[in-house]
Amino acid sequence: MNLDLSDAELAFRRAAREFLEHQLPEATVRAQRLTTTVFSEYDVSRAWHQILFAKGWAAPSWPREHGGTGWNITERYLWSVECARAGAPTVSPIALTMVGPILMRYGSPAQRERFLPRILSAEDYWCQGFSEPGAGSDLSALRMRAVQDGTDYVLDGSKIWTTHAHYANWMIALVRTADTGKRQEGITCLLVDMHSPGISVRPIHTIGGDHEVNQVFFDGVRVPLENRVAAEGEGWAVAKYLLEFERGGVIASAGLRSELARVASLADGAVADLPCVALEPEIQARIAEIGVDIDALEMMELRINWALRTGQNPGAAASILKLRASQLQQSVSALAVHVLGDNALRWEPTRPLYSLPEREAGDEAVWPVMSRYLNSRANTIFGGSSEIQKGIIARAMLGL
Ligand SMILES: Cc1cc2nc3c(=O)[nH]c(=O)nc-3n(C[C@H](O)[C@H](O)[C@H](O)COP(=O)(O)OP(=O)(O)OC[C@H]3O[C@@H](n4cnc5c(N)ncnc54)[C@H](O)[C@@H]3O)c2cc1C
């Protein structure tokens, strides 16, 4: 097997690297380094998204006909490696990775025409309203009601853990339109304007000190029928398709490798003025062990994605990627805390850190290790917990 890059691929990588060198602002890299949450901070991410849009590179995984780059999997992989190396922020993950593919597959022509260009250009920012109090792993238990009234649905109920609902101007939501038959058959997917009267967003502050998630309340919120995706009662199929992209649509190994390299450089004492434990054999062994696991994840990502056409869904295999990537994210963040020891506690829970002047933000060589560690506890919960992923793998892939 020859894993060497072709001349064309090497040229692509050079172009990507050059673009990042010239176009990714230093302040953005600093902000990303000081980001404690999974999604980059909204303003940082949006500014970078606009730069990518101007270049035509906002949607690496979208087909060209919808304004994507049309890159093949090798090019997308190289791009994600270069972005991770350069320290670039995440870009509108819910819109580009999930809502876009949903609209391409299930949206009406009018919905595609209205929403896809605005997602590409960063005019719209989306959140995902699936989970409810009492409906997380058991999503089909969701109760938020949508009752048809003339040309609208009227929504009452609440969504919880909604990431970045406080920034989003649109939500892709699952609602209950019927109680008869199987629970899944009464679920419908709607596109909800977050500025509609009757919506209120209440912050949830998490253990790391972040405001990333929210509870969103709906009190008589009117949503036009034309904002329904697919037919009434087909929301479950739409949701399952979306979750495959949420779990498998991102190449996580590149970011993990950059993070691990950073941990290794801290452990190596390469960062001046930083009192941390020396490179003990135990830490050395752990770095090597996690490194091998990242290599294995990368091979899985490439193998699974290589089988797909651009824009195609990854299927149940997405659960393997989600499971392993989230476990490794926790391993890397736990190792970082271990390496820094007491020094990991130096960060105050002031948010967002990047808005602080440099001296106040602390040693620029460090990144907020403890906050990231605490935040990464959620990785094996959101997008479906590890137990749920294992259940899917057992049933859909192993036939158990
Ligand atoms: C940081 C964060 C961000 C999130 N962002 C969003 C978002 O933007 N939009 C959104 O809609 N949701 C979001 N979520 C919600 C997330 O999808 C749910 O938290 C997740 O699906 C788990 O549901 P739950 O919290 O209700 O836990 P529960 O479903 O109550 O699960 C509790 C425990 O029981 C286990 N369990 C449950 N059922 C089974 C089973 N059948 N077999 C074995 N074990 C089981 C679970 O693994 C877990 O350990 C987010 C969550 C977090 C933590």
Side-chain angles (χ1 to χ4, degrees):
M1 183 168 42
N2 180 8
L3 293 177
D4 291 343
L5 295 174
S6 68
D7 287 346
E9 287 160 354
L10 287 170
F12 175 89
R13 185 171 70 182
R14 267 196 307 278
R17 201 170 279 182
E18 205 170 298
F19 172 76
L20 287 159
E21 267 165 24
H22 292 107
Q23 298 296 322
L24 178 63
E26 251 175 59
T28 305
V29 175
R30 172 179 185 267
Q32 182 57 21
R33 196 166 55 230
L34 293 173
T35 293
T36 54
T37 50
V38 182
F39 287 7
S40 301
E41 297 288 347
Y42 167 70
D43 47 350
V44 174
S45 162
R46 186 160 193 261
W48 176 229
H49 187 154
Q50 284 165 335
I51 294 172
L52 291 172
F53 174 64
K55 174 76 174 168
W57 287 4
S61 60
W62 286 17
R64 214 185 282 279
E65 79 223 58
H66 293 301
T69 55
W71 289 340
N72 63 31
I73 180 61
T74 312
E75 290 163 337
R76 280 166 55 200
Y77 161 75
L78 291 173
W79 173 243
S80 68
V81 172
E82 292 309 314
C83 284
R85 248 175 47 104
T90 59
V91 176
S92 205
I94 288 176
L96 287 169
T97 315
M98 305 180 221
V99 180
I102 284 294
L103 294 180
M104 288 172 212
R105 164 93 184 252
Y106 291 100
S108 66
Q111 287 168 346
R112 283 200 280 270
E113 204 173 307
R114 178 177 176 193
F115 292 111
L116 293 181
R118 295 176 62 90
I119 289 175
L120 267 184
S121 62
E123 276 164 280
D124 288 343
Y125 191 75
W126 287 73
C127 63
Q128 176 192 11
F130 283 16
S131 306
E132 294 181 10
S137 303
D138 187 10
L139 190 57
S140 67
L142 68 89
R143 286 180 310 179
M144 187 160 107
R145 190 146 295 280
V147 177
Q148 193 176 336
D149 179 30
T151 56
D152 294 334
Y153 285 109
V154 180
L155 274 51
D156 285 286
S158 138
K159 293 289 171 185
I160 199 163
W161 310 120
T162 323
T163 305
H164 281 194
H166 50 310
Y167 298 125
N169 59 338
W170 283 93
M171 171 189 276
I172 183 159
L174 293 181
V175 295
R176 180 153 299 284
T177 40
D179 289 310
T180 48
K182 278 175 68 181
R183 284 194 310 193
Q184 287 84 346
E185 289 165 5
I187 293 174
T188 299
C189 180
L190 297 179
L191 308 175
V192 183
D193 181 346
M194 290 292 283
H195 296 133
S196 310
I199 294 184
S200 51
V201 178
R202 185 188 293 166
I204 300 174
H205 294 277
T206 49
I207 191 173
D210 304 300
H211 174 202
E212 188 176 22
V213 290
N214 304 274
Q215 184 164 7
V216 184
F217 296 89
F218 296 77
D219 182 10
V221 175
R222 300 192 79 88
V223 176
L225 294 182
E226 70 206 32
N227 287 10
R228 188 184 65 219
V229 179
E232 199 172 279
E234 284 184 7
W236 192 248
V238 177
K240 284 205 300 189
Y241 188 74
L242 181 146
L243 288 170
E244 287 176 19
F245 286 96
E246 178 169 10
R247 294 165 182 167
V250 179
I251 294 171
S253 54
L256 277 163
R257 194 167 283 125
S258 290
E259 288 274 309
L260 185 66
R262 205 159 163 71
V263 178
S265 72
L266 289 178
D268 211 7
V271 180
D273 303 329
L274 188 63
C276 68
V277 295
L279 188 50
E280 296 163 355
E282 178 213 340
I283 290 176
Q284 214 163 6
R286 190 73 189 117
I287 289 171
E289 202 176 9
I290 297 174
V292 170
D293 283 344
I294 294 173
D295 288 346
L297 173 69
E298 182 181 48
M299 287 301 130
M300 261 193 300
E301 285 175 337
L302 292 174
R303 190 169 58 78
I304 290 167
N305 281 292
W306 243 308
L308 306 176
R309 289 189 311 277
T310 304
Q312 204 186 342
N313 56 315
S319 290
I320 306 181
L321 300 183
K322 194 308 171 153
L323 179 69
R324 287 306 286 142
S326 58
Q327 288 168 337
L328 284 171
Q329 276 145 2
Q330 292 184 342
S331 300
V332 174
S333 67
L335 186 63
V337 170
H338 184 58
V339 163
L340 283 182
D342 292 350
N343 205 49
L345 294 170
R346 65 197 279 171
W347 293 93
E348 293 296 317
T350 310
R351 296 292 182 273
L353 289 170
Y354 70 84
S355 64
L356 300 176
E358 292 208 359
R359 255 175 304 118
E360 269 185 71
D363 188 335
E364 278 296 286
V366 190
W367 79 117
V369 164
M370 182 51 88
S371 306
R372 281 213 180 163
Y373 166 77
L374 293 171
N375 189 279
S376 75
R377 300 298 89 196
N379 291 20
T380 46
I381 301 172
F382 60 66
S385 70
S386 290
E387 289 76 17
I388 295 303
Q389 306 310 326
K390 286 177 187 169
I392 294 171
I393 294 164
R395 279 192 310 277
M397 303 195 71
L398 303 175
L400 299 174

